[in-house]
mmCIF file of all heavy atoms in Angstrom:
data_model
loop_
_atom_site.group_PDB
_atom_site.id
_atom_site.type_symbol
_atom_site.label_atom_id
_atom_site.label_comp_id
_atom_site.label_asym_id
_atom_site.label_seq_id
_atom_site.Cartn_x
_atom_site.Cartn_y
_atom_site.Cartn_z
ATOM 1 N N LYS A 1070 -87.610 -44.433 32.328
ATOM 2 C CA LYS A 1070 -88.812 -44.787 31.632
ATOM 3 C C LYS A 1070 -88.494 -45.346 30.245
ATOM 4 O O LYS A 1070 -87.558 -44.883 29.605
ATOM 5 C CB LYS A 1070 -89.732 -43.583 31.465
ATOM 6 C CG LYS A 1070 -90.320 -43.043 32.755
ATOM 7 C CD LYS A 1070 -91.219 -41.865 32.487
ATOM 8 C CE LYS A 1070 -91.864 -41.325 33.759
ATOM 9 N NZ LYS A 1070 -92.751 -40.147 33.492
ATOM 10 N N ASN A 1071 -89.313 -46.224 29.696
ATOM 11 C CA ASN A 1071 -89.132 -46.687 28.397
ATOM 12 C C ASN A 1071 -89.658 -45.581 27.441
ATOM 13 O O ASN A 1071 -90.300 -44.607 27.870
ATOM 14 C CB ASN A 1071 -89.824 -48.079 28.082
ATOM 15 C CG ASN A 1071 -91.311 -47.977 28.336
ATOM 16 O OD1 ASN A 1071 -91.983 -46.996 27.981
ATOM 17 N ND2 ASN A 1071 -91.910 -49.000 28.979
ATOM 18 N N TYR A 1072 -89.396 -45.715 26.161
ATOM 19 C CA TYR A 1072 -89.640 -44.647 25.165
ATOM 20 C C TYR A 1072 -91.207 -44.286 25.201
ATOM 21 O O TYR A 1072 -91.575 -43.061 25.186
ATOM 22 C CB TYR A 1072 -89.242 -44.979 23.797
ATOM 23 C CG TYR A 1072 -89.695 -44.008 22.775
ATOM 24 C CD1 TYR A 1072 -89.190 -42.701 22.735
ATOM 25 C CD2 TYR A 1072 -90.630 -44.326 21.800
ATOM 26 C CE1 TYR A 1072 -89.592 -41.797 21.823
ATOM 27 C CE2 TYR A 1072 -91.081 -43.401 20.838
ATOM 28 C CZ TYR A 1072 -90.564 -42.150 20.893
ATOM 29 O OH TYR A 1072 -90.974 -41.213 19.972
ATOM 30 N N GLU A 1073 -92.026 -45.324 25.146
ATOM 31 C CA GLU A 1073 -93.459 -45.048 25.123
ATOM 32 C C GLU A 1073 -93.958 -44.254 26.296
ATOM 33 O O GLU A 1073 -94.816 -43.346 26.148
ATOM 34 C CB GLU A 1073 -94.272 -46.362 24.972
ATOM 35 C CG GLU A 1073 -94.139 -47.064 23.627
ATOM 36 C CD GLU A 1073 -94.549 -46.191 22.516
ATOM 37 O OE1 GLU A 1073 -95.541 -45.452 22.631
ATOM 38 O OE2 GLU A 1073 -93.860 -46.205 21.470
ATOM 39 N N ASP A 1074 -93.458 -44.625 27.524
ATOM 40 C CA ASP A 1074 -93.870 -43.870 28.761
ATOM 41 C C ASP A 1074 -93.320 -42.483 28.741
ATOM 42 O O ASP A 1074 -93.959 -41.591 29.342
ATOM 43 C CB ASP A 1074 -93.425 -44.633 29.974
ATOM 44 C CG ASP A 1074 -94.204 -45.898 30.165
ATOM 45 O OD1 ASP A 1074 -95.303 -46.074 29.619
ATOM 46 O OD2 ASP A 1074 -93.682 -46.826 30.861
ATOM 47 N N ALA A 1075 -92.172 -42.257 28.171
ATOM 48 C CA ALA A 1075 -91.567 -40.912 28.194
ATOM 49 C C ALA A 1075 -91.831 -40.127 26.985
ATOM 50 O O ALA A 1075 -91.447 -38.973 26.877
ATOM 51 C CB ALA A 1075 -90.002 -41.055 28.321
ATOM 52 N N LYS A 1076 -92.528 -40.707 26.009
ATOM 53 C CA LYS A 1076 -92.672 -40.055 24.719
ATOM 54 C C LYS A 1076 -93.348 -38.651 24.805
ATOM 55 O O LYS A 1076 -92.813 -37.669 24.205
ATOM 56 C CB LYS A 1076 -93.576 -40.967 23.776
ATOM 57 C CG LYS A 1076 -93.770 -40.371 22.370
ATOM 58 C CD LYS A 1076 -94.610 -41.365 21.531
ATOM 59 C CE LYS A 1076 -94.908 -40.790 20.186
ATOM 60 N NZ LYS A 1076 -95.674 -41.728 19.342
ATOM 61 N N ASN A 1077 -94.436 -38.511 25.472
ATOM 62 C CA ASN A 1077 -95.091 -37.185 25.586
ATOM 63 C C ASN A 1077 -94.162 -36.111 26.123
ATOM 64 O O ASN A 1077 -94.102 -35.019 25.569
ATOM 65 C CB ASN A 1077 -96.366 -37.307 26.404
ATOM 66 C CG ASN A 1077 -97.429 -38.083 25.678
ATOM 67 O OD1 ASN A 1077 -97.418 -38.263 24.453
ATOM 68 N ND2 ASN A 1077 -98.415 -38.603 26.405
ATOM 69 N N ASP A 1078 -93.498 -36.443 27.277
ATOM 70 C CA ASP A 1078 -92.614 -35.496 27.888
ATOM 71 C C ASP A 1078 -91.440 -35.160 27.021
ATOM 72 O O ASP A 1078 -90.948 -33.992 26.839
ATOM 73 C CB ASP A 1078 -92.070 -36.020 29.223
ATOM 74 C CG ASP A 1078 -93.238 -36.011 30.281
ATOM 75 O OD1 ASP A 1078 -94.130 -35.269 30.121
ATOM 76 O OD2 ASP A 1078 -93.098 -36.730 31.269
ATOM 77 N N ALA A 1079 -90.875 -36.206 26.352
ATOM 78 C CA ALA A 1079 -89.723 -36.054 25.480
ATOM 79 C C ALA A 1079 -90.071 -35.211 24.275
ATOM 80 O O ALA A 1079 -89.318 -34.362 23.816
ATOM 81 C CB ALA A 1079 -89.203 -37.389 25.054
ATOM 82 N N THR A 1080 -91.306 -35.390 23.685
ATOM 83 C CA THR A 1080 -91.713 -34.629 22.568
ATOM 84 C C THR A 1080 -91.875 -33.153 22.906
ATOM 85 O O THR A 1080 -91.420 -32.283 22.210
ATOM 86 C CB THR A 1080 -93.111 -35.142 22.083
ATOM 87 O OG1 THR A 1080 -93.003 -36.512 21.654
ATOM 88 C CG2 THR A 1080 -93.595 -34.342 20.892
ATOM 89 N N GLU A 1081 -92.453 -32.872 24.091
ATOM 90 C CA GLU A 1081 -92.633 -31.474 24.562
ATOM 91 C C GLU A 1081 -91.266 -30.811 24.793
ATOM 92 O O GLU A 1081 -91.047 -29.675 24.382
ATOM 93 C CB GLU A 1081 -93.486 -31.493 25.822
ATOM 94 C CG GLU A 1081 -93.769 -30.149 26.413
ATOM 95 C CD GLU A 1081 -94.608 -30.184 27.654
ATOM 96 O OE1 GLU A 1081 -95.450 -31.150 27.766
ATOM 97 O OE2 GLU A 1081 -94.445 -29.307 28.538
ATOM 98 N N ASP A 1082 -90.342 -31.600 25.346
ATOM 99 C CA ASP A 1082 -89.021 -31.002 25.688
ATOM 100 C C ASP A 1082 -88.269 -30.776 24.380
ATOM 101 O O ASP A 1082 -87.526 -29.745 24.277
ATOM 102 C CB ASP A 1082 -88.252 -31.981 26.589
ATOM 103 C CG ASP A 1082 -88.804 -32.028 28.032
ATOM 104 O OD1 ASP A 1082 -89.627 -31.140 28.327
ATOM 105 O OD2 ASP A 1082 -88.438 -32.947 28.722
ATOM 106 N N PHE A 1083 -88.344 -31.719 23.467
ATOM 107 C CA PHE A 1083 -87.637 -31.545 22.189
ATOM 108 C C PHE A 1083 -88.131 -30.359 21.407
ATOM 109 O O PHE A 1083 -87.349 -29.602 20.852
ATOM 110 C CB PHE A 1083 -87.718 -32.875 21.356
ATOM 111 C CG PHE A 1083 -86.968 -32.834 20.033
ATOM 112 C CD1 PHE A 1083 -85.641 -32.529 20.009
ATOM 113 C CD2 PHE A 1083 -87.659 -32.959 18.844
ATOM 114 C CE1 PHE A 1083 -84.893 -32.487 18.812
ATOM 115 C CE2 PHE A 1083 -86.944 -32.945 17.664
ATOM 116 C CZ PHE A 1083 -85.600 -32.704 17.678
ATOM 117 N N ILE A 1084 -89.422 -30.162 21.363
ATOM 118 C CA ILE A 1084 -89.989 -29.058 20.694
ATOM 119 C C ILE A 1084 -89.529 -27.716 21.292
ATOM 120 O O ILE A 1084 -89.071 -26.824 20.575
ATOM 121 C CB ILE A 1084 -91.578 -29.079 20.650
ATOM 122 C CG1 ILE A 1084 -92.047 -30.261 19.771
ATOM 123 C CG2 ILE A 1084 -92.133 -27.724 20.232
ATOM 124 C CD1 ILE A 1084 -93.534 -30.489 19.881
ATOM 125 N N ALA A 1085 -89.522 -27.623 22.637
ATOM 126 C CA ALA A 1085 -88.998 -26.415 23.296
ATOM 127 C C ALA A 1085 -87.552 -26.181 22.987
ATOM 128 O O ALA A 1085 -87.149 -25.092 22.802
ATOM 129 C CB ALA A 1085 -89.244 -26.566 24.775
ATOM 130 N N PHE A 1086 -86.778 -27.318 23.006
ATOM 131 C CA PHE A 1086 -85.354 -27.196 22.705
ATOM 132 C C PHE A 1086 -85.111 -26.704 21.348
ATOM 133 O O PHE A 1086 -84.336 -25.736 21.110
ATOM 134 C CB PHE A 1086 -84.688 -28.561 22.915
ATOM 135 C CG PHE A 1086 -83.328 -28.655 22.386
ATOM 136 C CD1 PHE A 1086 -82.224 -28.084 23.078
ATOM 137 C CD2 PHE A 1086 -83.028 -29.317 21.228
ATOM 138 C CE1 PHE A 1086 -80.943 -28.186 22.600
ATOM 139 C CE2 PHE A 1086 -81.755 -29.422 20.687
ATOM 140 C CZ PHE A 1086 -80.675 -28.869 21.392
ATOM 141 N N LYS A 1087 -85.840 -27.229 20.357
ATOM 142 C CA LYS A 1087 -85.601 -26.828 18.964
ATOM 143 C C LYS A 1087 -86.102 -25.409 18.706
ATOM 144 O O LYS A 1087 -85.444 -24.644 17.998
ATOM 145 C CB LYS A 1087 -86.350 -27.772 18.030
ATOM 146 C CG LYS A 1087 -85.662 -29.100 17.860
ATOM 147 C CD LYS A 1087 -84.295 -29.021 17.297
ATOM 148 C CE LYS A 1087 -84.333 -28.537 15.784
ATOM 149 N NZ LYS A 1087 -82.896 -28.473 15.221
ATOM 150 N N LYS A 1088 -87.222 -25.031 19.371
ATOM 151 C CA LYS A 1088 -87.691 -23.628 19.184
ATOM 152 C C LYS A 1088 -86.691 -22.616 19.762
ATOM 153 O O LYS A 1088 -86.483 -21.559 19.161
ATOM 154 C CB LYS A 1088 -89.040 -23.468 19.860
ATOM 155 C CG LYS A 1088 -90.215 -24.051 19.063
ATOM 156 C CD LYS A 1088 -91.532 -23.670 19.707
ATOM 157 C CE LYS A 1088 -92.750 -24.073 18.822
ATOM 158 N NZ LYS A 1088 -94.045 -23.577 19.360
ATOM 159 N N THR A 1089 -86.123 -22.965 20.819
ATOM 160 C CA THR A 1089 -85.122 -22.045 21.437
ATOM 161 C C THR A 1089 -83.875 -21.956 20.504
ATOM 162 O O THR A 1089 -83.341 -20.866 20.240
ATOM 163 C CB THR A 1089 -84.618 -22.589 22.816
ATOM 164 O OG1 THR A 1089 -85.716 -22.587 23.688
ATOM 165 C CG2 THR A 1089 -83.494 -21.722 23.380
ATOM 166 N N GLN A 1090 -83.521 -23.107 19.901
ATOM 167 C CA GLN A 1090 -82.365 -23.170 18.961
ATOM 168 C C GLN A 1090 -82.697 -22.350 17.731
ATOM 169 O O GLN A 1090 -81.837 -21.480 17.277
ATOM 170 C CB GLN A 1090 -82.075 -24.606 18.582
ATOM 171 C CG GLN A 1090 -80.810 -24.860 17.878
ATOM 172 C CD GLN A 1090 -80.546 -26.311 17.609
ATOM 173 O OE1 GLN A 1090 -81.347 -26.952 16.846
ATOM 174 N NE2 GLN A 1090 -79.522 -26.889 18.188
ATOM 175 N N LEU A 1091 -83.856 -22.431 17.192
ATOM 176 C CA LEU A 1091 -84.289 -21.709 15.996
ATOM 177 C C LEU A 1091 -84.396 -20.232 16.341
ATOM 178 O O LEU A 1091 -84.117 -19.328 15.508
ATOM 179 C CB LEU A 1091 -85.608 -22.297 15.491
ATOM 180 C CG LEU A 1091 -85.531 -23.612 14.892
ATOM 181 C CD1 LEU A 1091 -86.936 -24.197 14.612
ATOM 182 C CD2 LEU A 1091 -84.713 -23.698 13.586
ATOM 183 N N LEU A 1092 -84.842 -19.888 17.560
ATOM 184 C CA LEU A 1092 -84.952 -18.523 17.961
ATOM 185 C C LEU A 1092 -83.595 -17.900 18.050
ATOM 186 O O LEU A 1092 -83.381 -16.725 17.587
ATOM 187 C CB LEU A 1092 -85.626 -18.471 19.374
ATOM 188 C CG LEU A 1092 -85.958 -17.048 19.898
ATOM 189 C CD1 LEU A 1092 -87.003 -16.381 19.019
ATOM 190 C CD2 LEU A 1092 -86.418 -17.129 21.344
ATOM 191 N N GLN A 1093 -82.609 -18.598 18.545
ATOM 192 C CA GLN A 1093 -81.186 -18.143 18.580
ATOM 193 C C GLN A 1093 -80.649 -17.837 17.208
ATOM 194 O O GLN A 1093 -79.946 -16.875 16.909
ATOM 195 C CB GLN A 1093 -80.329 -19.068 19.353
ATOM 196 C CG GLN A 1093 -80.579 -19.090 20.860
ATOM 197 C CD GLN A 1093 -79.678 -20.047 21.560
ATOM 198 O OE1 GLN A 1093 -79.966 -21.313 21.598
ATOM 199 N NE2 GLN A 1093 -78.551 -19.613 22.095
ATOM 200 N N GLU A 1094 -80.958 -18.789 16.242
ATOM 201 C CA GLU A 1094 -80.454 -18.650 14.903
ATOM 202 C C GLU A 1094 -81.138 -17.451 14.257
ATOM 203 O O GLU A 1094 -80.476 -16.660 13.481
ATOM 204 C CB GLU A 1094 -80.834 -19.909 14.083
ATOM 205 C CG GLU A 1094 -80.016 -21.153 14.507
ATOM 206 C CD GLU A 1094 -80.523 -22.422 13.858
ATOM 207 O OE1 GLU A 1094 -81.444 -22.313 12.985
ATOM 208 O OE2 GLU A 1094 -79.958 -23.490 14.181
ATOM 209 N N GLN A 1095 -82.422 -17.199 14.484
ATOM 210 C CA GLN A 1095 -83.126 -16.085 13.929
ATOM 211 C C GLN A 1095 -82.490 -14.761 14.533
ATOM 212 O O GLN A 1095 -82.325 -13.804 13.780
ATOM 213 C CB GLN A 1095 -84.540 -16.148 14.304
ATOM 214 C CG GLN A 1095 -85.412 -15.066 13.688
ATOM 215 C CD GLN A 1095 -86.899 -15.132 14.068
ATOM 216 O OE1 GLN A 1095 -87.301 -16.073 14.771
ATOM 217 N NE2 GLN A 1095 -87.705 -14.157 13.715
ATOM 218 N N ALA A 1096 -82.196 -14.754 15.811
ATOM 219 C CA ALA A 1096 -81.641 -13.577 16.481
ATOM 220 C C ALA A 1096 -80.271 -13.251 15.888
ATOM 221 O O ALA A 1096 -79.924 -12.125 15.585
ATOM 222 C CB ALA A 1096 -81.536 -13.785 17.985
ATOM 223 N N THR A 1097 -79.444 -14.283 15.651
ATOM 224 C CA THR A 1097 -78.114 -14.078 15.105
ATOM 225 C C THR A 1097 -78.158 -13.512 13.684
ATOM 226 O O THR A 1097 -77.393 -12.603 13.384
ATOM 227 C CB THR A 1097 -77.363 -15.395 15.117
ATOM 228 O OG1 THR A 1097 -77.306 -15.928 16.459
ATOM 229 C CG2 THR A 1097 -75.925 -15.249 14.592
#
Side-chain angles (χ1 to χ4, degrees):
K1070 292 180 180 179
N1071 60 42
Y1072 174 66
E1073 288 302 321
D1074 289 339
K1076 182 178 177 180
N1077 290 339
D1078 289 337
T1080 301
E1081 184 178 328
D1082 291 345
F1083 181 56
I1084 290 173
F1086 168 76
K1087 285 298 293 183
K1088 281 190 172 184
T1089 299
Q1090 193 177 63
L1091 293 170
L1092 187 64
Q1093 288 180 279
E1094 291 173 2
Q1095 184 182 356
T1097 302

